[in-house]
PDB file of all heavy atoms in Angstrom:
ATOM      1  N   ILE A   9      67.036 -19.258  15.167  1.00  0.00           N
ATOM      2  CA  ILE A   9      66.529 -18.688  13.922  1.00  0.00           C
ATOM      3  C   ILE A   9      67.081 -19.419  12.702  1.00  0.00           C
ATOM      4  O   ILE A   9      66.352 -19.659  11.739  1.00  0.00           O
ATOM      5  CB  ILE A   9      66.857 -17.182  13.852  1.00  0.00           C
ATOM      6  CG1 ILE A   9      65.977 -16.439  14.841  1.00  0.00           C
ATOM      7  CG2 ILE A   9      66.662 -16.636  12.451  1.00  0.00           C
ATOM      8  CD1 ILE A   9      66.218 -14.958  14.887  1.00  0.00           C
ATOM      9  N   ASN A  10      68.353 -19.783  12.746  1.00  0.00           N
ATOM     10  CA  ASN A  10      68.919 -20.464  11.575  1.00  0.00           C
ATOM     11  C   ASN A  10      68.217 -21.793  11.310  1.00  0.00           C
ATOM     12  O   ASN A  10      68.036 -22.190  10.161  1.00  0.00           O
ATOM     13  CB  ASN A  10      70.430 -20.639  11.703  1.00  0.00           C
ATOM     14  CG  ASN A  10      70.843 -21.435  12.915  1.00  0.00           C
ATOM     15  OD1 ASN A  10      70.035 -21.768  13.775  1.00  0.00           O
ATOM     16  ND2 ASN A  10      72.130 -21.725  13.009  1.00  0.00           N
ATOM     17  N   LEU A  11      67.780 -22.491  12.351  1.00  0.00           N
ATOM     18  CA  LEU A  11      67.031 -23.732  12.191  1.00  0.00           C
ATOM     19  C   LEU A  11      65.671 -23.455  11.552  1.00  0.00           C
ATOM     20  O   LEU A  11      65.227 -24.177  10.647  1.00  0.00           O
ATOM     21  CB  LEU A  11      66.859 -24.428  13.546  1.00  0.00           C
ATOM     22  CG  LEU A  11      66.089 -25.728  13.543  1.00  0.00           C
ATOM     23  CD1 LEU A  11      66.884 -26.795  12.793  1.00  0.00           C
ATOM     24  CD2 LEU A  11      65.805 -26.186  14.959  1.00  0.00           C
ATOM     25  N   LEU A  12      65.021 -22.391  12.002  1.00  0.00           N
ATOM     26  CA  LEU A  12      63.727 -22.013  11.430  1.00  0.00           C
ATOM     27  C   LEU A  12      63.855 -21.624   9.957  1.00  0.00           C
ATOM     28  O   LEU A  12      63.012 -21.988   9.139  1.00  0.00           O
ATOM     29  CB  LEU A  12      63.129 -20.849  12.218  1.00  0.00           C
ATOM     30  CG  LEU A  12      62.644 -21.163  13.626  1.00  0.00           C
ATOM     31  CD1 LEU A  12      62.318 -19.879  14.370  1.00  0.00           C
ATOM     32  CD2 LEU A  12      61.440 -22.069  13.588  1.00  0.00           C
ATOM     33  N   CYS A  13      64.917 -20.896   9.650  1.00  0.00           N
ATOM     34  CA  CYS A  13      65.131 -20.479   8.261  1.00  0.00           C
ATOM     35  C   CYS A  13      65.337 -21.686   7.348  1.00  0.00           C
ATOM     36  O   CYS A  13      64.807 -21.718   6.232  1.00  0.00           O
ATOM     37  CB  CYS A  13      66.321 -19.533   8.170  1.00  0.00           C
ATOM     38  SG  CYS A  13      65.977 -17.911   8.890  1.00  0.00           S
ATOM     39  N   ASN A  14      66.066 -22.660   7.825  1.00  0.00           N
ATOM     40  CA  ASN A  14      66.263 -23.884   7.043  1.00  0.00           C
ATOM     41  C   ASN A  14      64.949 -24.658   6.916  1.00  0.00           C
ATOM     42  O   ASN A  14      64.623 -25.166   5.841  1.00  0.00           O
ATOM     43  CB  ASN A  14      67.330 -24.777   7.679  1.00  0.00           C
ATOM     44  CG  ASN A  14      68.715 -24.208   7.526  1.00  0.00           C
ATOM     45  OD1 ASN A  14      68.987 -23.446   6.608  1.00  0.00           O
ATOM     46  ND2 ASN A  14      69.594 -24.559   8.439  1.00  0.00           N
ATOM     47  N   GLN A  15      64.204 -24.756   8.003  1.00  0.00           N
ATOM     48  CA  GLN A  15      62.955 -25.512   8.016  1.00  0.00           C
ATOM     49  C   GLN A  15      61.907 -24.897   7.090  1.00  0.00           C
ATOM     50  O   GLN A  15      61.223 -25.593   6.359  1.00  0.00           O
ATOM     51  CB  GLN A  15      62.407 -25.583   9.442  1.00  0.00           C
ATOM     52  CG  GLN A  15      61.114 -26.336   9.592  1.00  0.00           C
ATOM     53  CD  GLN A  15      61.278 -27.826   9.399  1.00  0.00           C
ATOM     54  OE1 GLN A  15      62.336 -28.369   9.658  1.00  0.00           O
ATOM     55  NE2 GLN A  15      60.225 -28.463   8.940  1.00  0.00           N
ATOM     56  N   TYR A  16      61.773 -23.574   7.132  1.00  0.00           N
ATOM     57  CA  TYR A  16      60.733 -22.893   6.357  1.00  0.00           C
ATOM     58  C   TYR A  16      61.242 -22.308   5.042  1.00  0.00           C
ATOM     59  O   TYR A  16      60.474 -21.661   4.324  1.00  0.00           O
ATOM     60  CB  TYR A  16      60.096 -21.786   7.200  1.00  0.00           C
ATOM     61  CG  TYR A  16      59.313 -22.334   8.370  1.00  0.00           C
ATOM     62  CD1 TYR A  16      59.778 -22.186   9.681  1.00  0.00           C
ATOM     63  CD2 TYR A  16      58.124 -23.017   8.180  1.00  0.00           C
ATOM     64  CE1 TYR A  16      59.070 -22.690  10.751  1.00  0.00           C
ATOM     65  CE2 TYR A  16      57.409 -23.526   9.243  1.00  0.00           C
ATOM     66  CZ  TYR A  16      57.895 -23.361  10.531  1.00  0.00           C
ATOM     67  OH  TYR A  16      57.178 -23.867  11.592  1.00  0.00           O
ATOM     68  N   ASN A  17      62.515 -22.517   4.764  1.00  0.00           N
ATOM     69  CA  ASN A  17      63.121 -22.040   3.515  1.00  0.00           C
ATOM     70  C   ASN A  17      62.930 -20.524   3.350  1.00  0.00           C
ATOM     71  O   ASN A  17      62.419 -20.054   2.334  1.00  0.00           O
ATOM     72  CB  ASN A  17      62.550 -22.800   2.324  1.00  0.00           C
ATOM     73  CG  ASN A  17      63.399 -22.619   1.090  1.00  0.00           C
ATOM     74  OD1 ASN A  17      64.594 -22.364   1.182  1.00  0.00           O
ATOM     75  ND2 ASN A  17      62.787 -22.737  -0.074  1.00  0.00           N
ATOM     76  N   ILE A  18      63.329 -19.796   4.381  1.00  0.00           N
ATOM     77  CA  ILE A  18      63.250 -18.335   4.353  1.00  0.00           C
ATOM     78  C   ILE A  18      64.621 -17.756   4.684  1.00  0.00           C
ATOM     79  O   ILE A  18      65.490 -18.452   5.202  1.00  0.00           O
ATOM     80  CB  ILE A  18      62.193 -17.793   5.350  1.00  0.00           C
ATOM     81  CG1 ILE A  18      62.514 -18.263   6.772  1.00  0.00           C
ATOM     82  CG2 ILE A  18      60.801 -18.188   4.925  1.00  0.00           C
ATOM     83  CD1 ILE A  18      61.616 -17.655   7.837  1.00  0.00           C
ATOM     84  N   GLU A  19      64.787 -16.478   4.370  1.00  0.00           N
ATOM     85  CA  GLU A  19      66.040 -15.787   4.655  1.00  0.00           C
ATOM     86  C   GLU A  19      66.026 -15.254   6.087  1.00  0.00           C
ATOM     87  O   GLU A  19      64.973 -14.895   6.615  1.00  0.00           O
ATOM     88  CB  GLU A  19      66.222 -14.612   3.693  1.00  0.00           C
ATOM     89  CG  GLU A  19      66.314 -15.013   2.241  1.00  0.00           C
ATOM     90  CD  GLU A  19      67.621 -15.718   1.919  1.00  0.00           C
ATOM     91  OE1 GLU A  19      68.645 -15.372   2.545  1.00  0.00           O
ATOM     92  OE2 GLU A  19      67.599 -16.608   1.053  1.00  0.00           O
ATOM     93  N   ILE A  20      67.192 -15.176   6.690  1.00  0.00           N
ATOM     94  CA  ILE A  20      67.310 -14.601   8.026  1.00  0.00           C
ATOM     95  C   ILE A  20      66.875 -13.134   7.996  1.00  0.00           C
ATOM     96  O   ILE A  20      66.291 -12.633   8.957  1.00  0.00           O
ATOM     97  CB  ILE A  20      68.750 -14.756   8.558  1.00  0.00           C
ATOM     98  CG1 ILE A  20      69.053 -16.228   8.823  1.00  0.00           C
ATOM     99  CG2 ILE A  20      68.966 -13.930   9.813  1.00  0.00           C
ATOM    100  CD1 ILE A  20      70.471 -16.523   9.264  1.00  0.00           C
ATOM    101  N   SER A  21      67.112 -12.468   6.879  1.00  0.00           N
ATOM    102  CA  SER A  21      66.719 -11.059   6.763  1.00  0.00           C
ATOM    103  C   SER A  21      65.209 -10.883   6.887  1.00  0.00           C
ATOM    104  O   SER A  21      64.736  -9.857   7.384  1.00  0.00           O
ATOM    105  CB  SER A  21      67.212 -10.472   5.447  1.00  0.00           C
ATOM    106  OG  SER A  21      66.631 -11.154   4.352  1.00  0.00           O
ATOM    107  N   PHE A  22      64.436 -11.877   6.455  1.00  0.00           N
ATOM    108  CA  PHE A  22      62.975 -11.807   6.585  1.00  0.00           C
ATOM    109  C   PHE A  22      62.587 -11.737   8.067  1.00  0.00           C
ATOM    110  O   PHE A  22      61.782 -10.891   8.473  1.00  0.00           O
ATOM    111  CB  PHE A  22      62.322 -13.014   5.910  1.00  0.00           C
ATOM    112  CG  PHE A  22      60.822 -13.041   6.049  1.00  0.00           C
ATOM    113  CD1 PHE A  22      60.030 -12.167   5.339  1.00  0.00           C
ATOM    114  CD2 PHE A  22      60.214 -13.962   6.893  1.00  0.00           C
ATOM    115  CE1 PHE A  22      58.643 -12.196   5.468  1.00  0.00           C
ATOM    116  CE2 PHE A  22      58.838 -13.994   7.030  1.00  0.00           C
ATOM    117  CZ  PHE A  22      58.051 -13.115   6.313  1.00  0.00           C
ATOM    118  N   ILE A  23      63.184 -12.601   8.870  1.00  0.00           N
ATOM    119  CA  ILE A  23      62.895 -12.597  10.305  1.00  0.00           C
ATOM    120  C   ILE A  23      63.432 -11.322  10.945  1.00  0.00           C
ATOM    121  O   ILE A  23      62.784 -10.747  11.826  1.00  0.00           O
ATOM    122  CB  ILE A  23      63.459 -13.863  10.987  1.00  0.00           C
ATOM    123  CG1 ILE A  23      62.728 -15.098  10.440  1.00  0.00           C
ATOM    124  CG2 ILE A  23      63.317 -13.781  12.494  1.00  0.00           C
ATOM    125  CD1 ILE A  23      63.186 -16.413  10.999  1.00  0.00           C
TER     126      ILE A  23
END
Side-chain angles (χ1 to χ4, degrees):
I9 288 179
N10 59 352
L11 180 67
L12 290 170
C13 289
N14 289 335
Q15 180 71 28
Y16 293 109
N17 196 26
I18 58 174
E19 298 289 327
I20 292 176
S21 62
F22 178 73
I23 295 179

